[in-house]
Amino acid sequence: MASFFTHPLPAVVILLGVLVFFHEFGHFVVGRLSGIAVEIFSIGFGPRLFGFTYRGTDYRLSGIPLGGYVKFAGAHPAEDVPEGLPGIAFRDASLPRRALTILAGPLANFLLAVIVYSVLGMDGISHPPPSIGEVIEGSAAEAAGIKPGDRIAQIGETPVVTWRDIESTISQAPGKRLDVVVERDGKRVPLVLTPAEIKTQDGAGRAVTIGRAGIALGRLPAMFAVIEDGALRRAGVATGERVVGLKVGAETSVTIASMTELLHKLTAAAKTEDAVTLTIEAAHPPRDDDESLSGSGEKKAKPVPVTREVGLSLKTLKTLPEPFSKKATLAALGVADAQLTVGNATDGAKASLSPGDVLLAWNGRPLRDLYALREELIANTEPKAKLDIARGLERQAVEIDLKPVEVQKPEGKATIYQLTVLFWGQPEEPPPIIEKYDGLVAAVGYGLRETKAQTKELFRNVMSLISGDIPLKALGGPMLIAKVAGDSAKRGWQKFLEALALISVNLGLLNLFPIPVLDGGQLLLMGAEGLKRKPLREAAVENFQKVGFAMILALVVLATYNDLSRFWKAMLESVVGLFQ
């Protein structure tokens, strides 16, 4: 049953049903309070499925669940209020009451967004903490002296609470000096960071220049790829095994959480000791936690850890120069970290890559980490790639077939090529922090701030769409909403509510644009009526509405075309799957 409600079709029906109910209920309540007669309150369009009549108003559920409407009696000059229906004709209400009735629909959508965000605030919003997992070699962060394990406490005069605070501040400051305070070993350390300038595209397809520090949230596990006949290989450590504990001399063993932590402890121990004892966890093939490699969609139980202890000679580390270098320390041990070590390969990659292979270069360009590989994949437009790899103690060059996947980008449909590999040493993110607002006032304050921020961003996107900075191919319709609804429902009720609030803001704001047929278009007509101090000519109103209908129809056709070009195959498979 749960899988039924996470399917795109039921999910979008529920989502649109709630949105439309609030929008039309806003019109309905203010209209009723203004004394205007209401003939029909409908969720959905088309034929009436069922409903009831109360005080002369027909409350109904209609057959097409992609909208809804409130029919006020006497909205058209040729209509009269049906006998027995309480209230006056819409046209006979005062101009302020009519305007408030129309405005109430979009305002109800903004109110819904505030309510939803407030509920999420009271429940608690999960955020990644502002802790540095890795610092990319040669990055602005490394030049600034930021180290793995640091917790960024302040940028400029602004306190940092979550990882999102770091991202938003740094991305908006390309090439600018930032005074940063980090917490390290219980002390506050002031640093100066100048983010690199990166030219890219934002999520809407606009060309932008952003700042990039070169930091990552996830920490690399202390997992190795053995590529040389070095100290770790002679100690009996194999590729894919992980160090989970370290004992120096007669001291108690300490838990090891990351690669950086382990290497620092080993280099420190090498100054006084010749050997240490490592607690090694047996290798387990990496998994996709969302879906098994077999494609069954069922999560696998995590294997029970099996550990053993081994002695490791530190002689090769005693001559390492200062300051600490992760690259030099790994080389001295005869290993690489396992972030680019193949654990499982599927599709075209399976023919050329085997578990334990380490990726060294992509089309002749060295790969230092997963982030460099990601940049190569983003820039790649070819179905094949040449890789330099380490296979055991040997170096080889192989050619691999990449998997073509069609995606929808803002500029239109495109084909990207995926490397179908799961790597051993994938970064692990720390436990999230929970942003929670206790009390109604604090929660509503959060709801108002989030609604304001989403409204501002949406308005900016609409203006960019009108100006051409965002291509019209980025416009989406019901299928895109259905995908968003289904995807968010699969991720839990909080994500579904986030999508509901965001789309509610969309509906409220777009309805306020002065386009005929929409609420904003009706408000524009009422404004003209107020300026003339008399009703507008019926023919002028009808022509205005005809233009609006044509505009809306054109937008619907364009959005539907874009949706079909994106999702027709996936939607067809989805509909078939609903009945299997």
Side-chain angles (χ1 to χ4, degrees):
M1 181 60 72
S3 62
F4 175 82
F5 289 106
T6 59
H7 189 278
L9 289 181
V12 76
V13 168
I14 295 171
L15 184 142
L16 288 179
V18 173
L19 293 178
V20 169
F21 174 80
F22 261 80
H23 184 93
E24 300 304 331
F25 192 66
H27 289 312
F28 171 81
V29 169
V30 176
R32 268 290 176 82
L33 292 174
S34 300
I36 300 171
V38 182
E39 288 189 56
I40 301 173
F41 181 93
S42 176
I43 301 298
F45 294 111
R48 183 182 192 272
L49 298 180
F50 58 85
F52 61 93
T53 300
Y54 177 71
R55 294 183 59 187
T57 301
D58 180 16
Y59 299 88
R60 65 171 65 169
L61 183 68
S62 300
I64 304 175
L66 297 178
Y69 62 95
V70 173
K71 187 178 188 304
F72 293 109
H76 192 275
E79 295 178 345
D80 293 319
V81 178
E83 186 176 350
L85 183 63
I88 63 174
F90 182 83
R91 64 176 179 272
D92 294 335
S94 67
L95 183 60
R97 291 190 176 190
R98 281 184 282 144
L100 283 174
T101 299
I102 296 301
L103 185 61
L107 291 183
N109 284 120
F110 288 114
L111 176 61
L112 174 61
V114 172
I115 292 171
V116 170
Y117 283 128
S118 299
V119 170
L120 291 171
M122 295 181 73
D123 180 69
I125 305 100
S126 177
H127 293 290
S131 301
I132 307 302
E134 294 293 328
V135 176
I136 297 174
E137 183 181 353
S139 66
E142 184 181 59
I146 295 176
K147 300 181 181 298
D150 286 350
R151 186 180 183 92
I152 296 184
Q154 186 174 318
I155 300 179
E157 299 299 322
T158 306
V160 171
V161 179
T162 70
W163 185 264
R164 186 172 68 172
D165 297 334
I166 301 174
E167 287 184 327
S168 61
T169 304
I170 290 176
S171 65
Q172 295 172 25
K176 297 180 181 178
R177 171 191 167 114
L178 296 175
D179 294 317
V180 177
V181 177
V182 303
E183 294 177 352
R184 180 186 300 164
D185 299 327
K187 300 178 181 179
R188 291 172 66 88
V189 181
L191 301 170
V192 176
L193 169 68
T194 303
E197 297 184 38
I198 305 296
K199 295 186 183 298
T200 184
Q201 287 186 335
D202 64 11
R206 288 180 292 248
V208 294
T209 300
I210 64 171
R212 180 178 293 173
I215 54 178
L217 175 66
R219 300 181 302 180
L220 290 176
M223 187 181 292
F224 297 104
V226 179
I227 57 176
E228 301 283 354
D229 187 18
L232 275 172
R233 183 172 185 270
R234 289 192 290 271
V237 178
T239 292
E241 293 188 320
R242 178 174 183 171
V243 177
V244 294
L246 171 69
K247 184 168 65 174
V248 180
E251 296 178 4
T252 304
S253 179
V254 295
T255 301
I256 298 297
S258 70
M259 176 66 77
T260 301
E261 179 187 17
L262 172 66
L263 297 181
H264 273 291
K265 289 186 180 299
L266 288 177
T267 53
K271 296 176 181 179
T272 58
E273 301 288 335
D274 290 329
V276 295
T277 302
L278 303 179
T279 303
I280 303 294
E281 184 176 289
H284 296 287
R287 312 172 310 163
D288 184 334
D289 285 336
D290 294 324
E291 185 177 4
S292 68
L293 289 174
S294 65
S296 67
E298 297 180 359
K299 292 184 178 181
K300 296 179 179 179
K302 291 185 178 181
V304 177
V306 177
T307 61
R308 71 182 193 281
E309 291 189 344
V310 300
L312 174 66
S313 170
L314 299 179
K315 292 181 180 180
T316 57
L317 301 183
K318 289 183 175 295
T319 58
L320 287 177
E322 297 286 351
F324 169 81
S325 167
K326 174 183 171 182
K327 183 177 180 180
T329 306
L330 287 171
L333 293 171
V335 294
D337 60 47
Q339 61 179 309
L340 290 175
T341 303
V342 177
N344 280 299
T346 59
D347 299 318
K350 190 174 184 179
S352 303
L353 296 175
S354 302
D357 289 348
V358 182
L359 276 54
L360 303 176
W362 177 283
N363 290 331
R365 293 180 292 275
L367 295 174
R368 64 179 183 275
D369 49 39
L370 280 170
Y371 309 104
L373 175 61
R374 177 178 177 272
E375 295 295 329
E376 292 288 354
L377 285 169
I378 290 174
N380 178 67
T381 58
E382 300 297 327
K384 293 179 180 291
K386 294 180 180 179
L387 294 179
D388 294 337
I389 64 171
R391 179 168 291 169
L393 305 185
E394 299 180 357
R395 303 295 185 267
Q396 298 183 19
V398 298
E399 185 175 75
I400 62 169
D401 293 318
L402 304 175
K403 181 180 179 180
V405 177
E406 285 191 349
V407 298
Q408 183 65 32
K409 294 186 175 182
E411 64 272 16
K413 186 179 289 187
T415 300
I416 64 171
Y417 295 93
Q418 294 181 341
L419 177 64
T420 51
V421 168
L422 288 178
F423 294 105
W424 280 106
Q426 299 180 61
E428 299 171 342
E429 294 191 1
I433 58 175
I434 305 300
E435 181 183 8
K436 193 168 185 177
Y437 294 87
D438 296 322
L440 184 61
V441 174
V444 170
Y446 169 76
L448 288 169
R449 291 193 300 274
E450 282 297 302
T451 301
K452 178 183 177 181
Q454 296 296 347
T455 302
K456 182 179 178 181
E457 180 63 20
L458 174 61
F459 184 80
R460 177 171 170 261
N461 289 340
V462 173
M463 292 297 100
S464 295
L465 195 65
I466 294 172
S467 67
D469 290 338
I470 297 178
L472 289 175
K473 288 183 179 180
L475 193 66
M479 290 184 184
L480 180 59
I481 296 175
K483 185 178 188 305
V484 170
D487 289 349
S488 62
K490 290 176 183 177
R491 298 171 64 188
W493 67 269
Q494 294 95 336
K495 293 298 180 183
F496 183 77
L497 286 183
E498 286 180 11
L500 174 69
L502 179 60
I503 297 174
S504 189
V505 171
N506 274 256
L507 182 60
L509 182 61
L510 294 178
N511 259 285
L512 288 176
F513 275 78
I515 299 175
V517 181
L518 297 182
D519 294 333
Q522 296 187 59
L523 291 172
L524 182 65
L525 289 175
M526 291 177 187
E529 180 181 336
L531 291 174
K532 291 188 66 175
R533 297 180 180 276
K534 63 179 181 179
L536 301 176
R537 289 187 300 111
E538 184 178 337
V541 173
E542 288 183 354
N543 289 333
F544 185 74
Q545 299 287 14
K546 288 177 182 177
V547 171
F549 180 77
M551 293 173 63
I552 295 299
L553 182 61
L555 285 174
V556 169
V557 170
L558 177 61
T560 303
Y561 173 78
N562 288 345
D563 279 352
L564 288 172
S565 67
R566 294 182 185 110
F567 305 126
W568 69 269
K569 184 177 180 181
M571 290 298 292
L572 181 61
E573 293 173 349
S574 185
V575 171
V576 172
L578 184 63
F579 297 100
Q580 288 182 341

